[in-house]
Amino acid sequence: MKPTSLAKRMEPGAAAYDAPCGAGRPIDLVHLSKYTLGNRSLENELLGLFRNQADVYIARLDAAADDTEWKNAAHSLKGSARGLGAWTLADLAEEAEATALAARASVMARIREATVAVNAFIDSFMEA
């Protein structure tokens, strides 16, 4: 059986996934499918890599000792999130890039929340 992309697998009418592309989803599956040319194996690999790295990105942000470390960590998170189509998380990481280290508390809380949502979404595919 030929693997199908996540976007094709999530047909309208599937209970939690009947919203338009990206709406209500932490990951834009259509973007991911275009990025991987519909290769389900590659999609799973990228999702798994992000899932494994998510804690590393958060730890780097938490451990940032100066504005440069903070901005570099936020930039890494932004790039990874955009690659998956995790637009909300990417936008928050971009906001963090423009936020001084001293003012990070508010954006970090929202980044954590968005990361939890992305990871839960990824986990739901790994279980399926």
Side-chain angles (χ1 to χ4, degrees):
M1 184 165 110
K2 181 180 174 190
T4 59
S5 73
L6 292 175
K8 289 189 190 285
R9 190 174 128 211
M10 305 316 305
E11 295 177 3
Y17 304 103
D18 57 357
C21 167
R25 294 183 190 164
I27 297 175
D28 180 344
L29 297 176
V30 173
H31 168 80
L32 182 60
S33 181
K34 287 178 184 176
Y35 185 68
T36 62
L37 301 175
N39 183 322
R40 176 66 192 272
S41 177
L42 182 55
E43 290 171 358
N44 284 335
E45 184 176 349
L46 291 174
L47 291 169
L49 286 170
F50 182 87
R51 180 68 178 94
N52 290 332
Q53 287 294 114
D55 292 336
V56 173
Y57 296 131
I58 298 298
R60 284 182 57 206
L61 287 165
D62 284 336
D66 60 37
D67 281 337
T68 300
E69 288 180 9
W70 169 257
K71 289 175 197 256
N72 287 340
H75 186 77
S76 295
L77 176 59
K78 178 181 74 175
S80 292
R82 282 190 176 155
L84 289 183
W87 306 127
T88 299
L89 181 56
D91 289 346
L92 289 168
E94 185 172 20
E95 180 183 336
E97 277 186 296
T99 302
L101 177 66
R104 70 179 169 187
S106 173
V107 74
M108 272 306 295
R110 290 180 286 139
I111 285 173
R112 286 181 203 286
E113 187 177 307
T115 301
V116 166
V118 168
N119 287 342
F121 191 74
I122 290 170
D123 289 347
S124 73
F125 287 113
M126 299 305 171
E127 293 172 2

